[in-house]
Amino acid sequence: MAGDPALKIGLADIEAARSIIAGAVLRTPMLPAPKLSALTGAEVYVKYENLQVTNSFKDRGALVKLASLTDQERRRGVIAMSAGNHAQSVAYHSKRLKVPATIVMPVTTPFVKVAATRSYGAEVVLHGETVAEAEAQCEEIKAKRGLVLVHPYDDPRIIAGQGTIALEMLEEVPGLDVIIIPIGGGGLIGGNAIAARAKRPAIEIVGAEAALYPSVWNALHGENRPIGGPTLAEGIAVKNVGKLTLPIIRELVSEVILVDEAHLERAVNAYLTLQKTMAEGAGAAGLAAMIAKPERFRGKKVGLVLCGGNIDPRVLASIMVRELERDSRIVSFRLTIPDRPGVLGVIATRLGSLGANILEVDHRRLFLDVPAKGAKLDVTIETRDLAHAEEIMAALAADGYGPTRLEAGAAMD
């Protein structure tokens, strides 16, 4: 890959990258996922890149790029801009290879990713709201200090390194019909599309892109959908499409599916509750695409790249609770009750007899639509499922409390 950086990347480059990372980057498991198969209607296999040392696939490309540096470049040091996973991988392998590293990260990067990057000894510069703004600062620092840029996706060696994933996947499950790959700047899907289509020409490569950041979608379809906003998939929240990666995507990728925040949340929760594994929003984007369009993949043998597991624990806890609310396993409702001693006890006993677990109670006396001797009672309970929740609501209605269901989070408004 010497010379022109736009030189076409081929299978030979990806095989060479595999030799470079051998022994330094984990060959992650590729396992069947029967519960995800039942959820989606496809035969699902998961490639667990969240088990890498830095918990993401980025270890592969970062090491291939760093291994190519001259002695002089190593002494000067490297710089990268990233929302988190690329940052950690560059920092980790730079430390292993004794190369000074500076990482520019958006100020919106989850703390868990910032802390992990610093823990590997890199200098972290927080700048801008997005990767694009961080990139501008990165270029400025690079020029001032004469550092070598380790681009997160638009670099032939990065692309080749990421493509080693598909080689491993197809060795484990040669008969895959489809591989679904998250898309940010396109390095991951670009490298793996090259490898997979070279090894199995009939295979479909499908991209999963965050609906709030449809950069590749716009480029492919000639559209101008808005780009921006807070997304669970910050790892693929990219505004600028790669100059090297876009032609690869045009040529080798069958379809790009946009996934919204609700589907991303469901996918993160499914990985945790069904597979007992951690997936960040970007890492779960492939599964989110299957949940969004199950008919597209029904009956097919599908490989998912769980490309990262660096998620803020507080965000993960919030997702789990929100999914319980979506499934009506946590329900909030408002009752109209007489304001006299003992009523709360009666209601608590009644809910207990119905098999509900009380999580939260808020007693309200000052609503103007309540008689002076009445009150409103907001109750949040844990139930078995939607049918159980409806049974409880019906029983409370029969008791004369006039229950009304509250939207998630409304009980404390």
Side-chain angles (χ1 to χ4, degrees), residues 257-398:
I257 296 174
L258 297 179
V259 290
D260 62 24
E261 297 304 300
H263 288 120
L264 288 166
E265 288 185 27
R266 285 191 63 196
V268 168
N269 185 70
Y271 270 124
L272 184 64
T273 58
L274 300 180
Q275 296 306 111
K276 312 305 178 188
T277 193
M278 297 272 277
E280 60 188 273
L287 178 56
M290 296 191 75
I291 293 172
K293 287 190 166 185
E295 70 288 346
R296 170 71 171 79
F297 305 101
R298 188 167 288 118
K300 294 183 179 180
K301 190 175 288 189
V302 178
L304 293 177
V305 181
L306 198 178
C307 61
N310 291 306
I311 187 169
D312 190 314
R314 293 174 299 174
V315 173
L316 185 61
S318 173
I319 289 170
M320 292 179 68
V321 171
R322 287 162 63 88
E323 284 303 305
L324 290 172
E325 291 171 338
R326 287 190 180 103
D327 292 342
S328 292
R329 292 170 61 192
I330 291 180
V331 178
S332 296
F333 52 85
R334 180 167 290 162
L335 306 178
T336 301
I337 64 172
D339 190 11
R340 61 172 184 262
V343 173
L344 288 180
V346 170
I347 292 172
T349 300
R350 180 65 166 138
L351 289 171
S353 70
L354 292 166
N357 181 34
I358 299 174
L359 301 178
E360 194 170 86
V361 174
D362 187 26
H363 202 188
R364 299 163 178 258
R365 290 180 171 83
L366 301 180
F367 284 177
L368 294 180
D369 63 343
V370 181
K373 292 187 177 182
K376 294 284 189 184
L377 188 70
D378 289 355
V379 183
T380 301
I381 61 172
E382 186 177 15
T383 69
R384 293 188 295 272
D385 51 30
L386 176 60
H388 187 207
E390 290 175 345
E391 175 191 335
I392 292 167
M393 294 284 283
L396 294 173

Side-chain angles (χ1 to χ4, degrees), residues 8 63 72 103 189 212 269 406:
K8 185 172 176 63
L63 179 54
Q72 184 182 38
I103 312 293
I189 196 168
L212 289 174
N269 185 70
L406 300 176

Side-chain angles (χ1 to χ4, degrees), residues 42 55 60 80 83 85 104 112 120 140 158 172 208 232 263 278 285 350 362 369 377 395:
N55 303 114
R60 297 171 183 264
N85 289 337
V104 184
V112 65
Y120 297 128
E140 185 177 324
I158 295 290
E172 296 292 330
L232 181 62
H263 288 120
M278 297 272 277
R350 180 65 166 138
D362 187 26
D369 63 343
L377 188 70

Side-chain angles (χ1 to χ4, degrees), residues 10-83:
L11 180 61
D13 300 310
I14 297 169
E15 294 281 11
R18 176 148 72 163
S19 298
I20 292 168
I21 67 175
V25 172
L26 180 65
R27 179 178 174 130
T28 53
M30 170 79 166
L31 301 172
K35 292 180 180 178
L36 297 184
S37 298
L39 176 67
T40 61
E43 184 181 346
V44 179
Y45 296 81
V46 177
K47 180 67 167 167
Y48 289 92
E49 285 295 293
N50 61 338
L51 298 180
Q52 297 291 356
V53 172
T54 64
N55 303 114
S56 97
F57 76 98
K58 292 284 191 177
D59 280 13
R60 297 171 183 264
L63 179 54
V64 174
K65 177 64 176 180
L66 290 168
S68 74
L69 299 179
T70 65
D71 289 341
Q72 184 182 38
E73 288 171 333
R74 289 186 183 214
R75 285 193 295 271
R76 291 207 311 265
V78 298
I79 188 166
M81 48 84 182
S82 167

Side-chain angles (χ1 to χ4, degrees), residues 77-282:
V78 298
I79 188 166
M81 48 84 182
S82 167
N85 289 337
H86 181 63
Q88 292 175 66
S89 295
V90 172
Y92 171 69
H93 289 289
S94 293
K95 183 178 181 180
R96 285 183 54 249
L97 299 174
K98 297 181 171 55
V99 177
T102 301
I103 312 293
V104 184
M105 308 178 81
V107 297
T108 52
T109 304
F111 175 75
V112 65
K113 295 185 179 182
V114 176
T117 303
R118 285 189 171 129
S119 75
Y120 297 128
E123 176 191 350
V124 174
V125 177
L126 296 176
H127 181 87
E129 294 289 320
T130 65
V131 171
E133 292 174 5
E135 183 175 9
Q137 180 70 4
C138 176
E139 288 294 335
E140 185 177 324
I141 297 172
K142 170 181 172 286
K144 283 182 180 178
R145 301 186 191 175
L147 304 178
V148 177
L149 175 65
V150 183
H151 198 280
Y153 51 86
D154 219 18
D155 182 292
R157 290 185 172 84
I158 295 290
I159 294 168
Q162 320 307 24
T164 59
I165 295 171
L167 297 182
E168 296 173 10
M169 293 176 76
L170 288 172
E171 286 169 358
E172 296 292 330
V173 188
L176 286 176
D177 298 312
V178 186
I179 299 178
I180 310 177
I181 303 175
I183 295 183
L188 178 63
I189 196 168
N192 284 288
I194 292 167
R197 294 290 298 276
K199 286 289 188 179
R200 183 172 165 79
I203 197 168
E204 276 197 290
I205 306 299
V206 173
E209 188 171 37
L212 289 174
Y213 288 81
S215 305
V216 170
W217 174 279
N218 283 345
L220 293 177
H221 295 88
E223 295 185 12
N224 192 30
R225 296 192 182 202
I227 297 175
T231 177
L232 181 62
E234 77 282 338
I236 54 173
V238 174
K239 292 186 176 181
N240 300 322
V241 179
K243 293 177 182 177
L244 297 181
T245 59
L246 183 58
I248 300 169
I249 294 169
R250 284 189 193 278
E251 182 181 350
L252 299 176
V253 174
S254 302
E255 180 182 4
V256 173
I257 296 174
L258 297 179
V259 290
D260 62 24
E261 297 304 300
H263 288 120
L264 288 166
E265 288 185 27
R266 285 191 63 196
V268 168
N269 185 70
Y271 270 124
L272 184 64
T273 58
L274 300 180
Q275 296 306 111
K276 312 305 178 188
T277 193
M278 297 272 277
E280 60 188 273

